[in-house]
mmCIF file with all atom_site columns, all heavy atoms in Angstrom:
data_model
loop_
_atom_site.group_PDB
_atom_site.id
_atom_site.type_symbol
_atom_site.label_atom_id
_atom_site.label_alt_id
_atom_site.label_comp_id
_atom_site.label_asym_id
_atom_site.label_entity_id
_atom_site.label_seq_id
_atom_site.pdbx_PDB_ins_code
_atom_site.Cartn_x
_atom_site.Cartn_y
_atom_site.Cartn_z
_atom_site.occupancy
_atom_site.B_iso_or_equiv
_atom_site.pdbx_formal_charge
_atom_site.auth_seq_id
_atom_site.auth_comp_id
_atom_site.auth_asym_id
_atom_site.auth_atom_id
_atom_site.pdbx_PDB_model_num
ATOM 1   N N   . PHE I 1 1  ? 183.889 224.772 109.578 1.00 0.00 ? 1  PHE I N   1
ATOM 2   C CA  . PHE I 1 1  ? 184.836 224.433 108.514 1.00 0.00 ? 1  PHE I CA  1
ATOM 3   C C   . PHE I 1 1  ? 185.893 225.511 108.291 1.00 0.00 ? 1  PHE I C   1
ATOM 4   O O   . PHE I 1 1  ? 186.847 225.294 107.563 1.00 0.00 ? 1  PHE I O   1
ATOM 5   C CB  . PHE I 1 1  ? 184.078 224.219 107.193 1.00 0.00 ? 1  PHE I CB  1
ATOM 6   C CG  . PHE I 1 1  ? 182.991 223.196 107.295 1.00 0.00 ? 1  PHE I CG  1
ATOM 7   C CD1 . PHE I 1 1  ? 181.718 223.543 107.711 1.00 0.00 ? 1  PHE I CD1 1
ATOM 8   C CD2 . PHE I 1 1  ? 183.230 221.870 106.993 1.00 0.00 ? 1  PHE I CD2 1
ATOM 9   C CE1 . PHE I 1 1  ? 180.703 222.606 107.814 1.00 0.00 ? 1  PHE I CE1 1
ATOM 10  C CE2 . PHE I 1 1  ? 182.232 220.912 107.094 1.00 0.00 ? 1  PHE I CE2 1
ATOM 11  C CZ  . PHE I 1 1  ? 180.967 221.275 107.508 1.00 0.00 ? 1  PHE I CZ  1
ATOM 12  N N   . LYS I 1 2  ? 185.727 226.670 108.926 1.00 0.00 ? 2  LYS I N   1
ATOM 13  C CA  . LYS I 1 2  ? 186.582 227.818 108.620 1.00 0.00 ? 2  LYS I CA  1
ATOM 14  C C   . LYS I 1 2  ? 188.045 227.558 108.949 1.00 0.00 ? 2  LYS I C   1
ATOM 15  O O   . LYS I 1 2  ? 188.936 227.906 108.194 1.00 0.00 ? 2  LYS I O   1
ATOM 16  C CB  . LYS I 1 2  ? 186.082 229.048 109.399 1.00 0.00 ? 2  LYS I CB  1
ATOM 17  C CG  . LYS I 1 2  ? 186.642 230.362 108.904 1.00 0.00 ? 2  LYS I CG  1
ATOM 18  C CD  . LYS I 1 2  ? 186.066 230.736 107.560 1.00 0.00 ? 2  LYS I CD  1
ATOM 19  C CE  . LYS I 1 2  ? 186.479 232.124 107.141 1.00 0.00 ? 2  LYS I CE  1
ATOM 20  N NZ  . LYS I 1 2  ? 185.956 232.483 105.816 1.00 0.00 ? 2  LYS I NZ  1
ATOM 21  N N   . LEU I 1 3  ? 188.320 226.975 110.081 1.00 0.00 ? 3  LEU I N   1
ATOM 22  C CA  . LEU I 1 3  ? 189.699 226.742 110.522 1.00 0.00 ? 3  LEU I CA  1
ATOM 23  C C   . LEU I 1 3  ? 190.007 225.254 110.577 1.00 0.00 ? 3  LEU I C   1
ATOM 24  O O   . LEU I 1 3  ? 190.713 224.777 111.455 1.00 0.00 ? 3  LEU I O   1
ATOM 25  C CB  . LEU I 1 3  ? 189.923 227.387 111.902 1.00 0.00 ? 3  LEU I CB  1
ATOM 26  C CG  . LEU I 1 3  ? 189.665 228.892 111.965 1.00 0.00 ? 3  LEU I CG  1
ATOM 27  C CD1 . LEU I 1 3  ? 189.732 229.391 113.389 1.00 0.00 ? 3  LEU I CD1 1
ATOM 28  C CD2 . LEU I 1 3  ? 190.662 229.634 111.086 1.00 0.00 ? 3  LEU I CD2 1
ATOM 29  N N   . GLY I 1 4  ? 189.435 224.531 109.646 1.00 0.00 ? 4  GLY I N   1
ATOM 30  C CA  . GLY I 1 4  ? 189.586 223.074 109.673 1.00 0.00 ? 4  GLY I CA  1
ATOM 31  C C   . GLY I 1 4  ? 188.310 222.460 110.209 1.00 0.00 ? 4  GLY I C   1
ATOM 32  O O   . GLY I 1 4  ? 187.733 222.945 111.192 1.00 0.00 ? 4  GLY I O   1
ATOM 33  N N   . GLU I 1 5  ? 187.837 221.410 109.592 1.00 0.00 ? 5  GLU I N   1
ATOM 34  C CA  . GLU I 1 5  ? 186.557 220.813 109.964 1.00 0.00 ? 5  GLU I CA  1
ATOM 35  C C   . GLU I 1 5  ? 186.606 220.179 111.346 1.00 0.00 ? 5  GLU I C   1
ATOM 36  O O   . GLU I 1 5  ? 187.504 219.405 111.667 1.00 0.00 ? 5  GLU I O   1
ATOM 37  C CB  . GLU I 1 5  ? 186.175 219.756 108.935 1.00 0.00 ? 5  GLU I CB  1
ATOM 38  C CG  . GLU I 1 5  ? 184.803 219.157 109.165 1.00 0.00 ? 5  GLU I CG  1
ATOM 39  C CD  . GLU I 1 5  ? 184.438 218.156 108.098 1.00 0.00 ? 5  GLU I CD  1
ATOM 40  O OE1 . GLU I 1 5  ? 185.118 218.144 107.046 1.00 0.00 ? 5  GLU I OE1 1
ATOM 41  O OE2 . GLU I 1 5  ? 183.496 217.380 108.317 1.00 0.00 ? 5  GLU I OE2 1
ATOM 42  N N   . LYS I 1 6  ? 185.650 220.556 112.187 1.00 0.00 ? 6  LYS I N   1
ATOM 43  C CA  . LYS I 1 6  ? 185.561 219.978 113.522 1.00 0.00 ? 6  LYS I CA  1
ATOM 44  C C   . LYS I 1 6  ? 184.168 220.223 114.092 1.00 0.00 ? 6  LYS I C   1
ATOM 45  O O   . LYS I 1 6  ? 183.393 221.032 113.578 1.00 0.00 ? 6  LYS I O   1
ATOM 46  C CB  . LYS I 1 6  ? 186.616 220.579 114.450 1.00 0.00 ? 6  LYS I CB  1
ATOM 47  C CG  . LYS I 1 6  ? 186.595 222.100 114.540 1.00 0.00 ? 6  LYS I CG  1
ATOM 48  C CD  . LYS I 1 6  ? 187.771 222.603 115.353 1.00 0.00 ? 6  LYS I CD  1
ATOM 49  C CE  . LYS I 1 6  ? 187.841 224.125 115.331 1.00 0.00 ? 6  LYS I CE  1
ATOM 50  N NZ  . LYS I 1 6  ? 189.001 224.645 116.076 1.00 0.00 ? 6  LYS I NZ  1
ATOM 51  N N   . ARG I 1 7  ? 183.854 219.515 115.151 1.00 0.00 ? 7  ARG I N   1
ATOM 52  C CA  . ARG I 1 7  ? 182.559 219.640 115.827 1.00 0.00 ? 7  ARG I CA  1
ATOM 53  C C   . ARG I 1 7  ? 182.665 220.754 116.859 1.00 0.00 ? 7  ARG I C   1
ATOM 54  O O   . ARG I 1 7  ? 183.625 220.805 117.637 1.00 0.00 ? 7  ARG I O   1
ATOM 55  C CB  . ARG I 1 7  ? 182.221 218.320 116.505 1.00 0.00 ? 7  ARG I CB  1
ATOM 56  C CG  . ARG I 1 7  ? 180.761 218.179 116.923 1.00 0.00 ? 7  ARG I CG  1
ATOM 57  C CD  . ARG I 1 7  ? 179.885 217.915 115.737 1.00 0.00 ? 7  ARG I CD  1
ATOM 58  N NE  . ARG I 1 7  ? 178.505 217.630 116.153 1.00 0.00 ? 7  ARG I NE  1
ATOM 59  C CZ  . ARG I 1 7  ? 177.482 217.676 115.340 1.00 0.00 ? 7  ARG I CZ  1
ATOM 60  N NH1 . ARG I 1 7  ? 177.655 218.001 114.075 1.00 0.00 ? 7  ARG I NH1 1
ATOM 61  N NH2 . ARG I 1 7  ? 176.264 217.388 115.764 1.00 0.00 ? 7  ARG I NH2 1
ATOM 62  N N   . GLU I 1 8  ? 181.691 221.668 116.854 1.00 0.00 ? 8  GLU I N   1
ATOM 63  C CA  . GLU I 1 8  ? 181.730 222.792 117.785 1.00 0.00 ? 8  GLU I CA  1
ATOM 64  C C   . GLU I 1 8  ? 180.344 223.018 118.390 1.00 0.00 ? 8  GLU I C   1
ATOM 65  O O   . GLU I 1 8  ? 179.342 222.475 117.916 1.00 0.00 ? 8  GLU I O   1
ATOM 66  C CB  . GLU I 1 8  ? 182.183 224.071 117.074 1.00 0.00 ? 8  GLU I CB  1
ATOM 67  C CG  . GLU I 1 8  ? 183.684 224.161 116.833 1.00 0.00 ? 8  GLU I CG  1
ATOM 68  C CD  . GLU I 1 8  ? 184.462 224.493 118.102 1.00 0.00 ? 8  GLU I CD  1
ATOM 69  O OE1 . GLU I 1 8  ? 183.845 224.524 119.191 1.00 0.00 ? 8  GLU I OE1 1
ATOM 70  O OE2 . GLU I 1 8  ? 185.677 224.727 118.013 1.00 0.00 ? 8  GLU I OE2 1
ATOM 71  N N   . THR I 1 9  ? 180.326 223.842 119.445 1.00 0.00 ? 9  THR I N   1
ATOM 72  C CA  . THR I 1 9  ? 179.084 224.133 120.161 1.00 0.00 ? 9  THR I CA  1
ATOM 73  C C   . THR I 1 9  ? 178.904 225.638 120.293 1.00 0.00 ? 9  THR I C   1
ATOM 74  O O   . THR I 1 9  ? 179.861 226.367 120.555 1.00 0.00 ? 9  THR I O   1
ATOM 75  C CB  . THR I 1 9  ? 179.104 223.491 121.560 1.00 0.00 ? 9  THR I CB  1
ATOM 76  O OG1 . THR I 1 9  ? 179.321 222.087 121.422 1.00 0.00 ? 9  THR I OG1 1
ATOM 77  C CG2 . THR I 1 9  ? 177.790 223.724 122.279 1.00 0.00 ? 9  THR I CG2 1
ATOM 78  N N   . TRP I 1 10 ? 177.661 226.107 120.123 1.00 0.00 ? 10 TRP I N   1
ATOM 79  C CA  . TRP I 1 10 ? 177.332 227.519 120.239 1.00 0.00 ? 10 TRP I CA  1
ATOM 80  C C   . TRP I 1 10 ? 176.241 227.707 121.306 1.00 0.00 ? 10 TRP I C   1
ATOM 81  O O   . TRP I 1 10 ? 175.313 226.902 121.405 1.00 0.00 ? 10 TRP I O   1
ATOM 82  C CB  . TRP I 1 10 ? 176.796 228.052 118.918 1.00 0.00 ? 10 TRP I CB  1
ATOM 83  C CG  . TRP I 1 10 ? 177.826 228.172 117.836 1.00 0.00 ? 10 TRP I CG  1
ATOM 84  C CD1 . TRP I 1 10 ? 178.485 229.300 117.448 1.00 0.00 ? 10 TRP I CD1 1
ATOM 85  C CD2 . TRP I 1 10 ? 178.306 227.126 116.976 1.00 0.00 ? 10 TRP I CD2 1
ATOM 86  N NE1 . TRP I 1 10 ? 179.348 229.023 116.423 1.00 0.00 ? 10 TRP I NE1 1
ATOM 87  C CE2 . TRP I 1 10 ? 179.266 227.693 116.105 1.00 0.00 ? 10 TRP I CE2 1
ATOM 88  C CE3 . TRP I 1 10 ? 178.026 225.768 116.870 1.00 0.00 ? 10 TRP I CE3 1
ATOM 89  C CZ2 . TRP I 1 10 ? 179.936 226.958 115.144 1.00 0.00 ? 10 TRP I CZ2 1
ATOM 90  C CZ3 . TRP I 1 10 ? 178.701 225.017 115.913 1.00 0.00 ? 10 TRP I CZ3 1
ATOM 91  C CH2 . TRP I 1 10 ? 179.644 225.619 115.060 1.00 0.00 ? 10 TRP I CH2 1
ATOM 92  N N   . VAL I 1 11 ? 176.376 228.779 122.063 1.00 0.00 ? 11 VAL I N   1
ATOM 93  C CA  . VAL I 1 11 ? 175.314 229.155 122.998 1.00 0.00 ? 11 VAL I CA  1
ATOM 94  C C   . VAL I 1 11 ? 174.213 229.839 122.190 1.00 0.00 ? 11 VAL I C   1
ATOM 95  O O   . VAL I 1 11 ? 174.495 230.672 121.321 1.00 0.00 ? 11 VAL I O   1
ATOM 96  C CB  . VAL I 1 11 ? 175.843 230.111 124.085 1.00 0.00 ? 11 VAL I CB  1
ATOM 97  C CG1 . VAL I 1 11 ? 174.711 230.512 125.032 1.00 0.00 ? 11 VAL I CG1 1
ATOM 98  C CG2 . VAL I 1 11 ? 176.982 229.465 124.854 1.00 0.00 ? 11 VAL I CG2 1
ATOM 99  N N   . ALA I 1 12 ? 172.968 229.497 122.459 1.00 0.00 ? 12 ALA I N   1
ATOM 100 C CA  . ALA I 1 12 ? 171.837 230.059 121.716 1.00 0.00 ? 12 ALA I CA  1
ATOM 101 C C   . ALA I 1 12 ? 170.778 230.565 122.687 1.00 0.00 ? 12 ALA I C   1
ATOM 102 O O   . ALA I 1 12 ? 170.889 230.396 123.906 1.00 0.00 ? 12 ALA I O   1
ATOM 103 C CB  . ALA I 1 12 ? 171.247 229.008 120.773 1.00 0.00 ? 12 ALA I CB  1
ATOM 104 N N   . ALA I 1 13 ? 169.751 231.197 122.140 1.00 0.00 ? 13 ALA I N   1
ATOM 105 C CA  . ALA I 1 13 ? 168.625 231.671 122.947 1.00 0.00 ? 13 ALA I CA  1
ATOM 106 C C   . ALA I 1 13 ? 167.638 230.514 123.162 1.00 0.00 ? 13 ALA I C   1
ATOM 107 O O   . ALA I 1 13 ? 167.644 229.529 122.419 1.00 0.00 ? 13 ALA I O   1
ATOM 108 C CB  . ALA I 1 13 ? 167.940 232.831 122.238 1.00 0.00 ? 13 ALA I CB  1
ATOM 109 N N   . PRO I 1 14 ? 166.775 230.617 124.176 1.00 0.00 ? 14 PRO I N   1
ATOM 110 C CA  . PRO I 1 14 ? 165.805 229.542 124.450 1.00 0.00 ? 14 PRO I CA  1
ATOM 111 C C   . PRO I 1 14 ? 164.918 229.195 123.258 1.00 0.00 ? 14 PRO I C   1
ATOM 112 O O   . PRO I 1 14 ? 164.497 228.048 123.118 1.00 0.00 ? 14 PRO I O   1
ATOM 113 C CB  . PRO I 1 14 ? 164.979 230.113 125.608 1.00 0.00 ? 14 PRO I CB  1
ATOM 114 C CG  . PRO I 1 14 ? 165.904 231.062 126.300 1.00 0.00 ? 14 PRO I CG  1
ATOM 115 C CD  . PRO I 1 14 ? 166.732 231.673 125.210 1.00 0.00 ? 14 PRO I CD  1
ATOM 116 N N   . ILE I 1 15 ? 164.664 230.177 122.370 1.00 0.00 ? 15 ILE I N   1
ATOM 117 C CA  . ILE I 1 15 ? 163.791 229.917 121.232 1.00 0.00 ? 15 ILE I CA  1
ATOM 118 C C   . ILE I 1 15 ? 164.388 228.864 120.302 1.00 0.00 ? 15 ILE I C   1
ATOM 119 O O   . ILE I 1 15 ? 163.663 228.224 119.524 1.00 0.00 ? 15 ILE I O   1
ATOM 120 C CB  . ILE I 1 15 ? 163.515 231.228 120.454 1.00 0.00 ? 15 ILE I CB  1
ATOM 121 C CG1 . ILE I 1 15 ? 162.415 231.037 119.416 1.00 0.00 ? 15 ILE I CG1 1
ATOM 122 C CG2 . ILE I 1 15 ? 164.784 231.746 119.801 1.00 0.00 ? 15 ILE I CG2 1
ATOM 123 C CD1 . ILE I 1 15 ? 161.070 230.689 119.994 1.00 0.00 ? 15 ILE I CD1 1
ATOM 124 N N   . ALA I 1 16 ? 165.703 228.638 120.385 1.00 0.00 ? 16 ALA I N   1
ATOM 125 C CA  . ALA I 1 16 ? 166.355 227.639 119.533 1.00 0.00 ? 16 ALA I CA  1
ATOM 126 C C   . ALA I 1 16 ? 165.768 226.251 119.783 1.00 0.00 ? 16 ALA I C   1
ATOM 127 O O   . ALA I 1 16 ? 165.649 225.441 118.849 1.00 0.00 ? 16 ALA I O   1
ATOM 128 C CB  . ALA I 1 16 ? 167.861 227.635 119.777 1.00 0.00 ? 16 ALA I CB  1
ATOM 129 N N   . GLU I 1 17 ? 165.419 225.950 121.022 1.00 0.00 ? 17 GLU I N   1
ATOM 130 C CA  . GLU I 1 17 ? 164.830 224.643 121.346 1.00 0.00 ? 17 GLU I CA  1
ATOM 131 C C   . GLU I 1 17 ? 163.528 224.438 120.580 1.00 0.00 ? 17 GLU I C   1
ATOM 132 O O   . GLU I 1 17 ? 163.309 223.386 119.966 1.00 0.00 ? 17 GLU I O   1
ATOM 133 C CB  . GLU I 1 17 ? 164.575 224.541 122.847 1.00 0.00 ? 17 GLU I CB  1
ATOM 134 C CG  . GLU I 1 17 ? 163.938 223.228 123.266 1.00 0.00 ? 17 GLU I CG  1
ATOM 135 C CD  . GLU I 1 17 ? 163.681 223.139 124.762 1.00 0.00 ? 17 GLU I CD  1
ATOM 136 O OE1 . GLU I 1 17 ? 163.766 224.189 125.446 1.00 0.00 ? 17 GLU I OE1 1
ATOM 137 O OE2 . GLU I 1 17 ? 163.394 222.024 125.251 1.00 0.00 ? 17 GLU I OE2 1
ATOM 138 N N   . LYS I 1 18 ? 162.680 225.457 120.596 1.00 0.00 ? 18 LYS I N   1
ATOM 139 C CA  . LYS I 1 18 ? 161.397 225.358 119.905 1.00 0.00 ? 18 LYS I CA  1
ATOM 140 C C   . LYS I 1 18 ? 161.592 225.329 118.393 1.00 0.00 ? 18 LYS I C   1
ATOM 141 O O   . LYS I 1 18 ? 160.876 224.616 117.678 1.00 0.00 ? 18 LYS I O   1
ATOM 142 C CB  . LYS I 1 18 ? 160.502 226.525 120.308 1.00 0.00 ? 18 LYS I CB  1
ATOM 143 C CG  . LYS I 1 18 ? 160.139 226.547 121.789 1.00 0.00 ? 18 LYS I CG  1
ATOM 144 C CD  . LYS I 1 18 ? 159.282 227.753 122.130 1.00 0.00 ? 18 LYS I CD  1
ATOM 145 C CE  . LYS I 1 18 ? 158.919 227.764 123.614 1.00 0.00 ? 18 LYS I CE  1
ATOM 146 N NZ  . LYS I 1 18 ? 158.091 228.946 123.969 1.00 0.00 ? 18 LYS I NZ  1
ATOM 147 N N   . ALA I 1 19 ? 162.563 226.103 117.911 1.00 0.00 ? 19 ALA I N   1
ATOM 148 C CA  . ALA I 1 19 ? 162.814 226.149 116.472 1.00 0.00 ? 19 ALA I CA  1
ATOM 149 C C   . ALA I 1 19 ? 163.264 224.788 115.949 1.00 0.00 ? 19 ALA I C   1
ATOM 150 O O   . ALA I 1 19 ? 162.769 224.305 114.913 1.00 0.00 ? 19 ALA I O   1
ATOM 151 C CB  . ALA I 1 19 ? 163.869 227.215 116.161 1.00 0.00 ? 19 ALA I CB  1
ATOM 152 N N   . ILE I 1 20 ? 164.206 224.153 116.668 1.00 0.00 ? 20 ILE I N   1
ATOM 153 C CA  . ILE I 1 20 ? 164.690 222.830 116.255 1.00 0.00 ? 20 ILE I CA  1
ATOM 154 C C   . ILE I 1 20 ? 163.568 221.801 116.333 1.00 0.00 ? 20 ILE I C   1
ATOM 155 O O   . ILE I 1 20 ? 163.408 220.950 115.444 1.00 0.00 ? 20 ILE I O   1
ATOM 156 C CB  . ILE I 1 20 ? 165.884 222.392 117.124 1.00 0.00 ? 20 ILE I CB  1
ATOM 157 C CG1 . ILE I 1 20 ? 167.083 223.336 116.921 1.00 0.00 ? 20 ILE I CG1 1
ATOM 158 C CG2 . ILE I 1 20 ? 166.271 220.952 116.818 1.00 0.00 ? 20 ILE I CG2 1
ATOM 159 C CD1 . ILE I 1 20 ? 167.686 223.292 115.545 1.00 0.00 ? 20 ILE I CD1 1
ATOM 160 N N   . GLU I 1 21 ? 162.771 221.877 117.383 1.00 0.00 ? 21 GLU I N   1
ATOM 161 C CA  . GLU I 1 21 ? 161.659 220.932 117.548 1.00 0.00 ? 21 GLU I CA  1
ATOM 162 C C   . GLU I 1 21 ? 160.652 221.074 116.413 1.00 0.00 ? 21 GLU I C   1
ATOM 163 O O   . GLU I 1 21 ? 160.186 220.074 115.841 1.00 0.00 ? 21 GLU I O   1
ATOM 164 C CB  . GLU I 1 21 ? 160.965 221.191 118.891 1.00 0.00 ? 21 GLU I CB  1
ATOM 165 C CG  . GLU I 1 21 ? 159.815 220.246 119.185 1.00 0.00 ? 21 GLU I CG  1
ATOM 166 C CD  . GLU I 1 21 ? 159.124 220.568 120.509 1.00 0.00 ? 21 GLU I CD  1
ATOM 167 O OE1 . GLU I 1 21 ? 159.664 221.387 121.288 1.00 0.00 ? 21 GLU I OE1 1
ATOM 168 O OE2 . GLU I 1 21 ? 158.037 219.999 120.753 1.00 0.00 ? 21 GLU I OE2 1
ATOM 169 N N   . LEU I 1 22 ? 160.317 222.327 116.057 1.00 0.00 ? 22 LEU I N   1
ATOM 170 C CA  . LEU I 1 22 ? 159.323 222.563 115.011 1.00 0.00 ? 22 LEU I CA  1
ATOM 171 C C   . LEU I 1 22 ? 159.831 222.131 113.637 1.00 0.00 ? 22 LEU I C   1
ATOM 172 O O   . LEU I 1 22 ? 159.164 221.370 112.924 1.00 0.00 ? 22 LEU I O   1
ATOM 173 C CB  . LEU I 1 22 ? 158.936 224.045 114.987 1.00 0.00 ? 22 LEU I CB  1
ATOM 174 C CG  . LEU I 1 22 ? 157.931 224.451 113.902 1.00 0.00 ? 22 LEU I CG  1
ATOM 175 C CD1 . LEU I 1 22 ? 156.619 223.689 114.070 1.00 0.00 ? 22 LEU I CD1 1
ATOM 176 C CD2 . LEU I 1 22 ? 157.683 225.962 113.931 1.00 0.00 ? 22 LEU I CD2 1
ATOM 177 N N   . VAL I 1 23 ? 161.020 222.604 113.254 1.00 0.00 ? 23 VAL I N   1
ATOM 178 C CA  . VAL I 1 23 ? 161.522 222.299 111.912 1.00 0.00 ? 23 VAL I CA  1
ATOM 179 C C   . VAL I 1 23 ? 161.845 220.804 111.773 1.00 0.00 ? 23 VAL I C   1
ATOM 180 O O   . VAL I 1 23 ? 161.734 220.234 110.679 1.00 0.00 ? 23 VAL I O   1
ATOM 181 C CB  . VAL I 1 23 ? 162.745 223.178 111.573 1.00 0.00 ? 23 VAL I CB  1
ATOM 182 C CG1 . VAL I 1 23 ? 164.000 222.738 112.322 1.00 0.00 ? 23 VAL I CG1 1
ATOM 183 C CG2 . VAL I 1 23 ? 163.006 223.176 110.066 1.00 0.00 ? 23 VAL I CG2 1
ATOM 184 N N   . SER I 1 24 ? 162.240 220.163 112.864 1.00 0.00 ? 24 SER I N   1
ATOM 185 C CA  . SER I 1 24 ? 162.493 218.712 112.813 1.00 0.00 ? 24 SER I CA  1
ATOM 186 C C   . SER I 1 24 ? 161.224 217.952 112.443 1.00 0.00 ? 24 SER I C   1
ATOM 187 O O   . SER I 1 24 ? 161.260 216.982 111.677 1.00 0.00 ? 24 SER I O   1
ATOM 188 C CB  . SER I 1 24 ? 163.018 218.217 114.162 1.00 0.00 ? 24 SER I CB  1
ATOM 189 O OG  . SER I 1 24 ? 164.269 218.788 114.466 1.00 0.00 ? 24 SER I OG  1
ATOM 190 N N   . THR I 1 25 ? 160.107 218.405 112.984 1.00 0.00 ? 25 THR I N   1
ATOM 191 C CA  . THR I 1 25 ? 158.822 217.756 112.691 1.00 0.00 ? 25 THR I CA  1
ATOM 192 C C   . THR I 1 25 ? 158.363 218.068 111.271 1.00 0.00 ? 25 THR I C   1
ATOM 193 O O   . THR I 1 25 ? 157.899 217.188 110.548 1.00 0.00 ? 25 THR I O   1
ATOM 194 C CB  . THR I 1 25 ? 157.753 218.224 113.701 1.00 0.00 ? 25 THR I CB  1
ATOM 195 O OG1 . THR I 1 25 ? 158.206 217.970 115.038 1.00 0.00 ? 25 THR I OG1 1
ATOM 196 C CG2 . THR I 1 25 ? 156.436 217.512 113.472 1.00 0.00 ? 25 THR I CG2 1
ATOM 197 N N   . LEU I 1 26 ? 158.511 219.333 110.873 1.00 0.00 ? 26 LEU I N   1
ATOM 198 C CA  . LEU I 1 26 ? 158.023 219.758 109.561 1.00 0.00 ? 26 LEU I CA  1
ATOM 199 C C   . LEU I 1 26 ? 158.756 219.077 108.412 1.00 0.00 ? 26 LEU I C   1
ATOM 200 O O   . LEU I 1 26 ? 158.164 218.762 107.382 1.00 0.00 ? 26 LEU I O   1
ATOM 201 C CB  . LEU I 1 26 ? 158.151 221.281 109.418 1.00 0.00 ? 26 LEU I CB  1
ATOM 202 C CG  . LEU I 1 26 ? 157.329 222.144 110.380 1.00 0.00 ? 26 LEU I CG  1
ATOM 203 C CD1 . LEU I 1 26 ? 157.510 223.614 110.060 1.00 0.00 ? 26 LEU I CD1 1
ATOM 204 C CD2 . LEU I 1 26 ? 155.851 221.765 110.333 1.00 0.00 ? 26 LEU I CD2 1
ATOM 205 N N   . THR I 1 27 ? 160.054 218.864 108.555 1.00 0.00 ? 27 THR I N   1
ATOM 206 C CA  . THR I 1 27 ? 160.848 218.324 107.438 1.00 0.00 ? 27 THR I CA  1
ATOM 207 C C   . THR I 1 27 ? 161.162 216.836 107.588 1.00 0.00 ? 27 THR I C   1
ATOM 208 O O   . THR I 1 27 ? 161.959 216.298 106.817 1.00 0.00 ? 27 THR I O   1
ATOM 209 C CB  . THR I 1 27 ? 162.169 219.111 107.300 1.00 0.00 ? 27 THR I CB  1
ATOM 210 O OG1 . THR I 1 27 ? 162.963 218.942 108.491 1.00 0.00 ? 27 THR I OG1 1
ATOM 211 C CG2 . THR I 1 27 ? 161.914 220.586 107.072 1.00 0.00 ? 27 THR I CG2 1
ATOM 212 N N   . LYS I 1 28 ? 160.566 216.173 108.546 1.00 0.00 ? 28 LYS I N   1
ATOM 213 C CA  . LYS I 1 28 ? 160.881 214.759 108.799 1.00 0.00 ? 28 LYS I CA  1
ATOM 214 C C   . LYS I 1 28 ? 160.646 213.884 107.565 1.00 0.00 ? 28 LYS I C   1
ATOM 215 O O   . LYS I 1 28 ? 161.482 213.052 107.193 1.00 0.00 ? 28 LYS I O   1
ATOM 216 C CB  . LYS I 1 28 ? 160.043 214.251 109.973 1.00 0.00 ? 28 LYS I CB  1
ATOM 217 C CG  . LYS I 1 28 ? 160.329 212.795 110.339 1.00 0.00 ? 28 LYS I CG  1
ATOM 218 C CD  . LYS I 1 28 ? 159.489 212.357 111.533 1.00 0.00 ? 28 LYS I CD  1
ATOM 219 C CE  . LYS I 1 28 ? 159.784 210.895 111.883 1.00 0.00 ? 28 LYS I CE  1
ATOM 220 N NZ  . LYS I 1 28 ? 158.972 210.449 113.054 1.00 0.00 ? 28 LYS I NZ  1
ATOM 221 N N   . ALA I 1 29 ? 159.495 214.058 106.918 1.00 0.00 ? 29 ALA I N   1
ATOM 222 C CA  . ALA I 1 29 ? 159.168 213.221 105.759 1.00 0.00 ? 29 ALA I CA  1
ATOM 223 C C   . ALA I 1 29 ? 160.103 213.504 104.583 1.00 0.00 ? 29 ALA I C   1
ATOM 224 O O   . ALA I 1 29 ? 160.422 212.609 103.800 1.00 0.00 ? 29 ALA I O   1
ATOM 225 C CB  . ALA I 1 29 ? 157.718 213.462 105.339 1.00 0.00 ? 29 ALA I CB  1
ATOM 226 N N   . TRP I 1 30 ? 160.538 214.746 104.453 1.00 0.00 ? 30 TRP I N   1
ATOM 227 C CA  . TRP I 1 30 ? 161.412 215.126 103.338 1.00 0.00 ? 30 TRP I CA  1
ATOM 228 C C   . TRP I 1 30 ? 162.832 214.607 103.507 1.00 0.00 ? 30 TRP I C   1
ATOM 229 O O   . TRP I 1 30 ? 163.485 214.226 102.539 1.00 0.00 ? 30 TRP I O   1
ATOM 230 C CB  . TRP I 1 30 ? 161.464 216.650 103.204 1.00 0.00 ? 30 TRP I CB  1
ATOM 231 C CG  . TRP I 1 30 ? 160.191 217.270 102.737 1.00 0.00 ? 30 TRP I CG  1
ATOM 232 C CD1 . TRP I 1 30 ? 159.149 216.640 102.105 1.00 0.00 ? 30 TRP I CD1 1
ATOM 233 C CD2 . TRP I 1 30 ? 159.827 218.643 102.853 1.00 0.00 ? 30 TRP I CD2 1
ATOM 234 N NE1 . TRP I 1 30 ? 158.156 217.537 101.824 1.00 0.00 ? 30 TRP I NE1 1
ATOM 235 C CE2 . TRP I 1 30 ? 158.536 218.785 102.264 1.00 0.00 ? 30 TRP I CE2 1
ATOM 236 C CE3 . TRP I 1 30 ? 160.428 219.768 103.390 1.00 0.00 ? 30 TRP I CE3 1
ATOM 237 C CZ2 . TRP I 1 30 ? 157.881 220.005 102.195 1.00 0.00 ? 30 TRP I CZ2 1
ATOM 238 C CZ3 . TRP I 1 30 ? 159.791 220.996 103.319 1.00 0.00 ? 30 TRP I CZ3 1
ATOM 239 C CH2 . TRP I 1 30 ? 158.522 221.114 102.739 1.00 0.00 ? 30 TRP I CH2 1
#
């Protein structure tokens, strides 16, 4: 949102895959 709202992509570490997988499961019901 800093320079106008748009969709962007960031390079991350491999642990990001596991983090997204875990938190997606944990907060699904909420």
Side-chain angles (χ1 to χ4, degrees):
F1 305 87
K2 195 71 173 178
L3 302 172
E5 185 178 345
K6 55 186 174 182
R7 196 75 174 163
E8 282 285 7
T9 303
W10 289 261
V11 179
I15 190 63
E17 179 180 13
K18 297 178 180 179
I20 296 294
E21 181 182 349
L22 178 60
V23 74
S24 296
T25 304
L26 297 183
T27 63
K28 182 179 180 180
W30 291 342

